[in-house]
C-alpha cells in the first residue's frame, strides 16, 4: 500500500472575490484584444522599418504582431482575471460560465479542458482531412485540375501535414483523454495546476488558426518538417509555420508539466506505482518525452525564424545547412512515440475489459514503455540516410531495428490478454484490433525503411507516405476512435449506436487500407511525395487511390455524425456500462465537479478480470479508512 497522500488540493484554484464575467463573450473578447495588439505592434514596427512601396506589413512586423496577438488572445479569454490581476497583488476575478458556454471560455476544470481539447482536435482533423480530399482530387489526373499552381498544392500539403501532426496526433489523446481521465484514474480531484491547464488549451486554437492563415502570406512549401535551406526560399507564410507550431509545442509542454506533477503528487491512497493504470503510465512516459524534447524543437523554430528575420544565418551558407534536419528529427522521431505511446495505453485499457481477462504480462508492457522512451532518442538519423556515409548508417540502422523489440512487447501483451479469453466484439474492441493490425503493417514497413539500401531506393516516395500513415492514422487515429467509443459514455452519460459504430469502423478500415495500401505500390513504381504533377503512367493508380480516399473521408465524416448524435441524444447509461475496473468507472457519468464524493482508497489492482468466485471491491471511500479500525457494534460478529 502506498503512503497515504495529503489532502487533495487543486493548487492554484482558490475562491476569490469579487468574480465577474467579461462584457463580451471570452472568445470574442480574446479575438478583439488579440486583433488590437496585432495592429498596434504591426504598425509600430512598420513605422520604424519604413518599407518601400508603402507596404502595410512585413515579415518582421507580422512576427512581432503575432506575438502581441497571442498575449492579447490569452488575456482576453480569461488570462487577465486569472493570471494578470494576481501578479499585481489583486484577487483573481474570473467566474466560469455554466452549461455549454463553459466549453467556449477559460476553465480550470480538467474535464471541461479535456473536452475542449477533444472537440478542437476533432475539428482540426476534419479541416485537415478536407485539405487532404482536395489534394487527392488534384492528383486524380497528372495535371493541375484544382490548385492554380504547384506552390498552392505544396502549401496545402504542408498545412495538412502540419495540422495532422502537431494539432491532432500529438494533442488528441494526450490533451483530450489525458486531461480528462488522468485525475479520474488516479483518484484526484483535478490537475495540480488548473489555471496553467486552462491556458495550455487556449494556445491550441491560436496555433491552428495561425497555420491556417499562412496562405494570406503566400503559404509555405516545406511540408510539416520545415526543412532548411528550402525554408529560406519558401513564401512568407513560412513565418506562420514557425509561430504556429511553436505555440502548439508550448501547449504540449505545459500539459506535460501538469500530467507529471499530477501523477506524482495527487495519487489517491493505495494507487501505488505498481497499481497505476496503464493509460496513466502511457501519459506519464509521453509527458516525460515532451518535457525533454519539445524545448529542443521550439528552440529550432526560433532559430529558423531568426534566420528569416534578422538574418542570423544559422542554417544558411555561413552556418550549418543540414543542422535543421538533425535538430528537427531529434524531436521528430521521439514524436512518433509521443503519438503512439498514448495509443498503446488505450489498447491496454480496452483489451482486458472486453476480453474479460487479466492484463497479460503487465510489467513487460511497462518495461516496453520505459525502454521505448529511452531508445527513441537514438534513432533520429535514419531520416537522413541520404546525407551520410555507409559507416554512419550502421549504428542508426542497429538502434532503429532494436527499438522494434520493446515495441513488440505491446503485441505480446495484447495477444496474451486475448489468448483463450471471452472477447466481446464491441466497437471499441473492434477498433483496437484494427489499430493492432494497421500498426503491424506500419512497423513491418518501417523495418524496410530502417535498412539503409532500401531506404535510399524508396526515400521521399509514396512508400514513405504509406508507412507513415499506417503508423500514425492506422495506429493512433484508430486507437483514438476506440477511446472515443469507450469513454464517451463516461463523458456524456450516453451510449453510442453500436450498429452504426461497427459499420463506420469497417468502412474506415476498408477505406484506409485501400488508400494507403496502394501507396506502397505507387511508391515502388516511382511516385514521389509532395508533388502536384507526376508521370502519366501513374495516373490510373492515383485515380484509384483518390477514390479510396474519398470513401475513407466519408466514413470518417459518418463516424463524427454518430458521435454527435450520441453526445446530444444517445441512450442513457449507468456509471459503468462496460463493467470495467479502473477508477473513472467508479463515479457517476458524467463525473461530478470534483470527480468523487469522497477520495477513494484503493485496495486491489485494476486488471483482475476473470477471477474465480466473487471479485473483491477495488476501493472503499476514504472516510471508511482509519488508522485504528473501530470496534464492531455490539451484537455483530465476524
Amino acid at each position: 500500500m502506498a503512503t497515504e497522500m495529503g489532502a487533495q488540493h487543486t493548487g492554484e484554484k482558490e475562491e476569490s472575490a469579487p468574480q465577474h464575467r467579461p462584457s463580451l463573450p471570452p472568445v470574442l473578447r480574446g479575438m478583439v484584444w488579440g486583433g488590437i495588439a496585432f495592429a498596434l505592434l504591426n504598425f509600430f514596427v512598420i513605422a520604424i522599418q519604413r518599407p518601400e512601396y508603402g507596404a502595410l506589413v512585413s515579415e518582421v512586423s507580422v512576427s512581432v504582431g503575432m506575438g502581441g496577438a497571442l498575449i492579447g488572445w490569452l488575456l482576453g479569454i480569461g488570462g487577465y482575471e486569472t493570471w494578470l490581476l494576481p501578479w499585481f497583488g489583486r484577487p483573481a476575478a474570473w467566474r466560469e460560465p455554466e452549461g455549454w458556454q463553459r466549453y467556449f471560455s477559460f476553465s480550470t476544470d480538467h474535464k471541461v479542458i479535456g473536452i475542449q481539447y477533444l472537440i478542437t482536435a476533432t475539428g482540426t482533423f476534419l479541416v485537415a482531412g478536407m485539405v487532404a480530399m482536395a489534394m487527392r482530387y488534384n492528383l486524380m489526373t497528372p495535371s493541375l485540375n484544382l490548385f492554380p499552381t504547384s506552390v498552392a498544392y505544396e502549401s496545402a500539403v504542408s498545412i495538412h501535414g502540419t495540422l495532422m501532426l502537431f494539432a491532432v496526433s500529438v494533442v488528441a489523446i494526450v490533451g483530450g483523454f489525458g486531461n480528462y481521465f488522468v485525475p479520474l484514474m488516479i483518484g484526484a480531484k483535478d490537475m495540480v495546476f488548473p489555471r496553467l491547464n486552462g491556458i495550455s488549451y487556449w494556445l491550441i486554437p491560436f496555433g491552428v488558426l495561425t497555420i491556417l492563415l499562412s496562405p494570406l502570406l503566400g503559404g509555405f512549401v516545406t511540408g510539416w518538417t520545415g526543412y532548411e535551406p528550402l525554408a529560406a526560399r519558401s513564401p512568407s507564410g513560412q513565418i506562420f509555420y514557425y509561430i504556429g507550431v511553436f505555440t502548439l509545442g508550448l501547449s504540449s509542454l505545459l500539459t506535460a508539466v501538469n500530467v507529471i506533477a499530477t501523477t506524482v503528487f495527487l495519487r489517491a491512497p493505495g494507487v501505488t506505482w505498481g497499481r497505476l493504470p496503464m493509460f496513466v503510465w502511457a501519459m506519464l512516459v509521453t509527458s516525460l518525452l515532451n518535457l525533454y524534447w519539445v524545448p529542443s524543437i521550439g528552440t529550432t523554430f526560433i532559430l529558423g525564424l531568426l534566420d528569416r528575420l534578422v538574418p542570423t544565418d544559422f542554417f544558411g551558407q555561413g552556418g550549418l545547412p543540414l543542422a535543421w534536419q538533425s535538430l528537427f528529427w531529434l524531436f521528430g522521431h521521439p514524436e512518433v512515440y509521443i503519438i503512439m505511446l498514448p495509443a498503446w495505453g488505450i489498447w491496454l485499457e480496452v483489451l482486458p475489459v472486453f476480453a474479460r481477462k487479466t492484463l497479460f504480462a503487465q510489467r513487460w508492457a511497462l518495461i516496453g514503455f520505459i525502454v521505448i522512451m529511452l531508445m527513441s532518442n537514438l534513432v533520429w538519423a535514419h531520416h537522413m540516410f541520404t546525407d551520410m556515409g555507409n559507416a554512419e548508417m550502421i549504428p542508426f540502422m542497429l538502434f532503429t531495428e532494436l527499438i522494434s523489440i520493446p515495441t513488440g512487447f505491446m503485441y505480446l501483451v495484447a495477444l496474451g490478454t486475448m489468448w483463450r479469453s471471452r472477447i466481446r466484439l464491441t466497437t471499441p474492441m473492434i477498433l483496437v484490433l484494427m489499430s493492432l493490425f494497421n500498426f503491424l503493417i506500419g512497423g513491418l514497413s518501417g523495418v524496410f525503411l530502417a535498412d539503409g539500401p532500401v531506404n535510399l531506393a524508396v526515400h521521399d516516395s509514396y512508400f514513405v507516405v504509406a508507412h507513415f500513415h499506417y503508423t500514425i492514422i492506422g495506429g493512433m487515429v484508430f486507437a483514438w476512435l476506440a477511446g472515443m467509443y469507450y469513454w464517451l459514455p463516461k463523458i456524456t452519460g450516453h451510449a453510442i449506436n453500436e450498429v452504426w459504430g461497427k459499420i463506420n469502423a469497417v468502412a474506415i478500415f476498408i477505406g484506409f487500407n485501400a488508400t494507403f495500401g496502394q501507396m506502397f505500390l505507387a511508391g515502388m513504381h516511382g511516385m514521389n511525395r509532395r508533388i502536384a504533377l507526376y508521370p502519366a503512367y501513374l495516373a490510373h493508380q492515383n485515380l484509384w487511390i483518390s477514390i479510396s480516399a474519398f470513401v475513407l473521408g466519408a466514413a470518417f465524416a459518418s463516424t463524427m455524425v454518430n458521435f454527435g448524435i450520441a453526445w446530444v441524444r444517445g441512450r442513457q447509461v449507468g456509471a459503468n456500462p462496460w463493467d470495467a475496473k479502473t477508477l473513472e468507472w467508479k463515479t457517476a457519468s458524467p463525473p461530478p465537479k470534483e470527480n468523487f464524493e469522497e477520495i477513494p482508497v484503493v485496495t486491489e489492482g485494476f486488471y483482475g478480470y476473470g477471477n474465480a468466485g466473487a471479485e473483491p471491491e477495488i476501493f472503499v471511500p476514504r472516510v471508511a479508512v482509519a488508522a485504528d479500525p473501530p470496534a464492531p457494534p455490539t451484537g455483530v460478529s465476524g
Side-chain angles (χ1 to χ4, degrees):
M1 181 81 68
T3 303
E4 183 170 315
M5 304 294 295
Q8 299 278 354
H9 63 279
T10 53
E12 303 159 84
K13 189 187 297 183
E14 62 268 339
E15 295 296 327
S16 50
Q19 295 185 337
H20 68 276
R21 294 182 191 171
S23 55
L24 290 175
V27 172
L28 180 58
R29 188 180 71 163
M31 294 173 66
V32 171
W33 288 16
I36 292 172
F38 175 85
L40 291 175
L41 289 175
N42 176 78
F43 291 129
F44 174 75
V45 173
I46 287 295
I48 295 174
Q49 275 191 306
R50 298 180 181 273
E52 296 180 359
Y53 311 115
L56 297 178
V57 295
S58 68
E59 290 190 356
V60 175
S61 70
V62 169
S63 299
V64 175
M66 289 300 290
L70 176 59
I71 294 172
W73 164 254
L74 294 178
L75 291 177
I77 53 89
Y80 173 75
E81 289 85 359
T82 58
W83 281 94
L84 191 62
L85 290 181
W87 282 346
F88 288 95
R90 300 188 48 193
W94 181 256
R95 182 164 64 92
E96 296 181 17
E98 300 295 331
W100 64 268
Q101 292 176 316
R102 58 186 171 164
Y103 300 114
F104 297 90
S105 175
F106 179 87
S107 178
T108 56
D109 185 339
H110 73 97
K111 297 181 291 296
V112 173
I113 296 167
I115 291 172
Q116 288 174 324
Y117 271 107
L118 284 173
I119 293 174
T120 303
T122 301
T124 305
F125 179 79
L126 292 175
V127 171
M130 287 189 287
V131 175
M133 295 300 101
M135 291 156 46
R136 287 313 316 174
Y137 182 83
N138 188 88
L139 292 173
M140 291 178 75
T141 64
S143 59
L144 290 170
N145 56 18
L146 178 64
F147 294 95
T149 64
S150 293
V151 171
Y153 173 83
E154 291 162 7
S155 292
V157 173
S158 301
I159 290 172
H160 165 77
T162 302
L163 290 179
M164 281 294 196
L165 265 296
F166 294 107
V168 177
S169 299
V170 174
V171 167
I173 297 180
V174 178
F177 295 146
N179 265 295
Y180 199 103
F181 289 107
V182 165
L184 280 165
M185 295 177 89
I186 65 173
K189 293 182 177 181
D190 207 327
M191 290 287 194
V192 168
F193 306 115
R195 287 187 294 173
L196 188 68
N197 204 22
I199 285 292
S200 71
Y201 162 72
W202 287 104
L203 292 166
I204 298 293
F206 185 90
V208 170
L209 288 173
T210 299
I211 293 164
L212 287 174
L213 291 174
S214 61
L216 295 178
L217 296 182
F220 60 102
V221 299
T222 57
W224 69 278
T225 57
Y227 271 178
E228 296 279 2
L230 175 62
R233 301 190 178 191
S234 187
S236 295
Q238 188 72 35
I239 63 174
F240 278 6
Y241 166 84
Y242 294 132
I243 296 171
V245 180
F246 178 87
T247 305
L248 296 172
L250 182 59
S251 172
S252 295
L253 184 63
L254 299 181
T255 300
V257 170
N258 240 329
V259 169
I260 294 169
T262 300
T263 305
V264 171
F265 294 111
L266 293 190
R267 286 173 289 125
V271 183
T272 61
W273 291 107
R275 291 176 180 163
L276 203 64
M278 295 308 296
F279 181 75
V280 179
W281 270 115
M283 290 298 98
L284 179 62
V285 173
T286 301
S287 297
L288 289 170
L289 279 173
N290 270 325
L291 190 67
Y292 192 78
W293 289 113
V294 168
S296 170
I297 195 66
T299 302
T300 307
F301 290 137
I302 292 173
L303 296 178
L305 186 61
L306 289 174
D307 259 10
R308 186 138 194 142
L309 302 181
V310 176
T312 47
D313 206 28
F314 290 114
F315 305 111
Q317 293 181 354
L320 297 171
L322 294 180
W324 175 278
Q325 292 187 47
S326 285
L327 290 171
F328 182 89
W329 289 115
L330 276 167
F331 163 83
H333 203 84
E335 183 190 23
V336 174
Y337 301 103
I338 288 169
I339 293 169
M340 282 310 303
L341 281 164
W344 294 331
I346 292 175
W347 289 3
L348 301 183
E349 292 298 331
V350 171
L351 284 170
V353 172
F354 297 111
R356 307 313 299 169
K357 186 179 175 184
T358 300
L359 188 65
F360 175 76
Q362 180 180 350
R363 291 186 179 179
W364 282 100
L366 176 56
I367 291 171
F369 284 170
I370 295 173
V371 173
I372 287 169
M373 178 185 71
L374 297 174
M375 289 191 66
S376 66
N377 309 325
L378 304 174
V379 300
W380 86 93
H382 71 239
H383 294 275
M384 302 165 57
F385 279 165
T386 56
D387 299 324
M388 65 176 61
N390 293 336
E392 296 170 286
M393 285 186 188
I394 294 174
F396 292 106
M397 289 171 56
L398 174 64
F399 289 131
T400 305
E401 299 287 1
L402 286 177
I403 203 170
S404 63
I405 296 175
T407 302
F409 289 178
M410 308 308 145
Y411 278 88
L412 294 176
V413 172
L415 294 175
T417 302
M418 291 187 289
W419 179 254
R420 302 183 69 180
S421 64
R422 304 185 299 273
I423 293 177
R424 292 183 290 171
L425 287 177
T426 59
T427 305
M429 185 66 171
I430 290 171
L431 283 162
V432 165
L433 294 176
M434 291 174 174
S435 177
L436 280 159
F437 174 83
N438 293 333
F439 187 78
L440 179 63
I441 302 300
L444 291 175
S445 58
V447 172
F448 288 102
L449 292 174
D451 183 77
V454 177
N455 187 300
L456 295 177
V458 298
H459 186 78
D460 257 347
S461 75
Y462 261 52
F463 189 97
V464 178
V465 174
H467 157 74
F468 193 70
H469 283 81
Y470 264 95
T471 302
I472 304 303
I473 294 184
M476 173 266 163
V477 172
F478 274 76
W480 175 42
L481 293 178
M484 291 283 282
Y485 279 104
Y486 178 63
W487 277 311
L488 197 67
K490 174 55 59 179
I491 295 172
T492 66
H494 298 161
I496 290 178
N497 187 305
E498 274 284 307
V499 174
W500 278 108
K502 292 174 182 177
I503 292 173
N504 287 332
V506 171
I508 292 173
F509 184 74
I510 293 173
F512 172 81
N513 282 280
T515 300
F516 296 102
Q518 292 185 83
M519 287 187 183
F520 283 121
L521 299 176
M524 289 188 286
H525 290 160
M527 180 69 186
N528 289 328
R529 60 176 176 171
R530 298 177 185 168
I531 60 168
L533 305 172
Y534 56 85
Y537 74 89
L538 293 167
H540 183 73
Q541 193 160 33
N542 271 291
L543 174 63
W544 281 105
I545 292 173
S546 293
I547 292 172
S548 302
F550 298 150
V551 172
L552 177 61
F556 274 129
S558 177
T559 299
M560 298 308 166
V561 170
N562 194 21
F563 284 138
I565 292 173
W567 196 299
V568 175
R569 55 184 180 88
R571 176 175 56 86
Q572 293 281 343
V573 294
N576 191 1
W578 305 125
D579 194 22
K581 293 182 179 294
T582 42
L583 284 181
E584 78 271 25
W585 299 106
K586 303 301 180 181
T587 186
S589 299
K593 177 70 174 177
E594 293 188 339
N595 298 337
F596 301 95
E597 293 182 4
E598 300 290 342
I599 298 171
V601 175
V602 175
T603 60
E604 297 288 338
F606 296 118
Y607 301 104
Y609 296 95
N611 293 332
E615 296 182 358
E617 286 294 325
I618 289 180
F619 77 91
V620 294
R622 188 176 185 178
V623 292
V625 177
D628 298 310
T634 304
V636 177
S637 62

